[in-house]
Amino acid sequence: MEAKIVLLPGDGIGPEVVNAACQALETLAGVFGHRFHFEEHLIGGCALDQQGDPLPPASLQACRRADAVLLGAVGGPRWADPQAELRPEQGLLALRKGLGLFANLRPVRPFPQLLQASPLRPERLQGVDLLIVRELTGGIYFGQPRGRDQSGDEEQAFDTMRYSESEVRRVARLAFSLARSRRHKVTSVDKANVLETSRLWRQVVETVAAEFPQVALEHQLVDSAAMRLILEPASMDVLLTANLFGDILSDEAAVLTGSIGMLPSASLGEDGPGLYEPIHGSAPDIAGQGLANPCGAILSAAMLLRHSLGLAAEADALEAAVAAAVAAGARTRDLGGTLSTSAMTSAICKRIQPG
Ligand code: IPM
Ligand code: MG
């Protein structure tokens, strides 16, 4: 098949890991006889520097015309001034909103050979296979009003957490339908003992659960869910969460895999292109040194093959190549090894095999 993939390398280690994922996709296309056309565009801090806009209109338009989008990372200390009006992260948020990507899928499955890389005891990690489904275009990230005002002689700042029934319903339906092809369990995370949005969330999730009698639903408050992720992560299957809770819990869950550098994500909407990105950030401390772990980006490319291009066998082959490289002892520095980004990428690419 032919497909058009927009690359948004972004900032920090973004260009290095996107380059690695692109190489893996090229290798895979050769092995399976596909043709992928890549087109690179600006997002984040580099877009801000070059065009004064963290998501230039040309980037969004190109994404809309693509079959899928692969993103590296945005942000860094250069653009972290709290007084700044424009920030790199706004580019990513505008892209998610602009493409209608309401669901963010973050699978967490530790590699058996990397159990030692996690600070948790290996027996806690046995059987961990989580899928975090995070609502991505609502909640406190986008609620209005937000801003600052003056109260007496001091300044105040405020954000709004807002969810509509339909926003909860569509992401919940996706979580339940994904649970059907897994272990048939959804843990819905909220703060219903305090927040009005969480009480609506719970109510809507209950009605969606009734449409999926094969899937068991449990509710869990976000504070105890954070603890359970460390104490008994294997007891959960699909974790359904609102935007902010999912952001926090997915970084916590990354600890289970030994390195945040291993984790991929997919952001999906009703239709149109999906957005694929490693969940790690721009890691400015190691940017440009060839030290970044490319696995999160390469595994994101596998999700792209599966979810946006319908190439399930190819996605399996790419995931198998990463697993085989790790099993053979290939390790970047974050995993306790010495391989550079490009050496790790080669170790993976040479293991890409058809079916
Ligand atoms: C993530 C990131 C983003 C988020 C930032 C960079 C805006 O932390 O994808 O988890 O908060 O969603
Ligand atoms: Mg995050």
Side-chain angles (χ1 to χ4, degrees):
M1 78 173 303
E2 295 211 19
K4 192 164 129 195
I5 300 171
V6 163
L7 303 176
L8 301 174
D11 308 317
I13 59 170
E16 295 162 74
V17 299
V18 164
N19 183 41
C22 195
Q23 226 175 295
L25 284 171
E26 295 271 24
T27 308
L28 182 122
V31 171
F32 283 84
H34 299 305
R35 286 190 56 185
F36 299 144
H37 305 280
F38 297 102
E39 197 183 300
E40 203 173 301
H41 286 274
L42 290 170
I43 192 169
C46 58
L48 207 48
D49 289 348
Q50 290 178 45
Q51 308 209 345
D53 184 346
L55 183 66
S59 298
L60 181 58
Q61 275 155 25
C63 291
R64 286 206 170 108
R65 287 193 302 263
D67 295 301
V69 182
L70 188 64
L71 183 140
V74 297
R78 276 181 53 210
W79 307 283
D81 176 5
Q83 304 289 346
E85 213 163 284
L86 288 171
R87 305 172 60 91
E89 290 78 6
Q90 289 165 337
L92 180 55
L93 299 180
L95 180 64
R96 290 170 176 171
K97 195 74 168 176
L99 296 178
L101 306 171
F102 62 83
N104 183 225
L105 276 43
R106 298 187 165 182
V108 179
R109 211 180 310 126
F111 288 78
Q113 301 84 4
L114 294 179
L115 296 188
Q116 295 304 328
S118 167
L120 298 192
R121 281 192 235 119
E123 60 269 26
R124 290 253 157 100
L125 301 170
Q126 289 309 330
V128 170
D129 183 1
L130 287 166
L131 177 64
I132 298 177
V133 179
R134 166 187 175 195
E135 198 291 324
L136 202 60
T137 49
I140 200 164
Y141 272 57
F142 291 94
Q144 294 291 341
R146 58 189 293 151
R148 291 175 178 228
D149 59 19
Q150 202 72 26
S151 163
D153 56 2
E154 68 171 355
E155 202 180 9
Q156 298 188 2
F158 51 96
D159 296 281
T160 301
M161 174 112 83
R162 178 180 286 277
Y163 268 115
S164 67
E165 288 179 82
S166 55
E167 282 175 314
V168 181
R169 196 179 302 117
R170 62 186 181 180
V171 72
R173 282 198 174 127
L174 181 65
F176 277 84
S177 64
L178 291 165
R180 262 196 315 215
S181 53
R182 297 173 47 94
R183 284 178 289 138
H184 299 90
K185 200 169 149 186
V186 169
T187 303
S188 175
V189 175
D190 62 38
K191 189 70 184 173
N193 53 346
V194 175
L195 300 176
E196 208 55 63
T197 41
S198 283
R199 288 192 277 273
L200 178 74
W201 180 278
R202 220 173 243 226
Q203 183 188 318
V204 174
V205 170
E206 296 268 350
T207 62
V208 170
E211 301 167 14
F212 295 83
Q214 323 85 329
V215 178
L217 166 67
E218 62 179 358
H219 300 285
Q220 181 126 26
L221 296 174
V222 63
D223 46 356
S224 66
M227 189 166 71
R228 186 171 167 199
L229 261 178
I230 301 297
L231 288 179
E232 43 171 18
S235 70
M236 291 182 281
D237 178 16
V238 175
L239 245 95
L240 168 63
T241 84
N243 206 343
L244 179 64
F245 298 156
D247 177 47
I248 298 166
L249 293 179
S250 57
D251 272 31
E252 185 192 0
V255 172
L256 306 172
T257 64
S259 169
I260 196 168
M262 297 302 296
L263 287 189
S265 81
S267 301
L268 307 174
E270 220 68 76
D271 43 34
L275 168 68
Y276 300 84
E277 46 176 322
I279 89 155
H280 64 69
S282 59
D285 52 322
I286 57 162
Q289 300 175 44
L291 296 174
N293 182 347
C295 291
I298 292 175
L299 292 170
S300 298
M303 293 187 87
L304 180 158
L305 294 167
R306 181 175 293 118
H307 294 286
S308 281
L309 306 186
L311 299 175
E314 287 82 344
D316 289 346
L318 193 48
E319 286 166 356
V322 173
V326 168
R331 305 271 188 282
T332 41
R333 212 177 58 162
D334 53 310
L335 300 172
T338 56
L339 291 190
S340 66
T341 307
S342 64
M344 187 74 182
T345 306
S346 307
I348 293 166
C349 286
K350 72 178 189 205
R351 291 179 170 85
I352 297 176
Q353 283 164 2

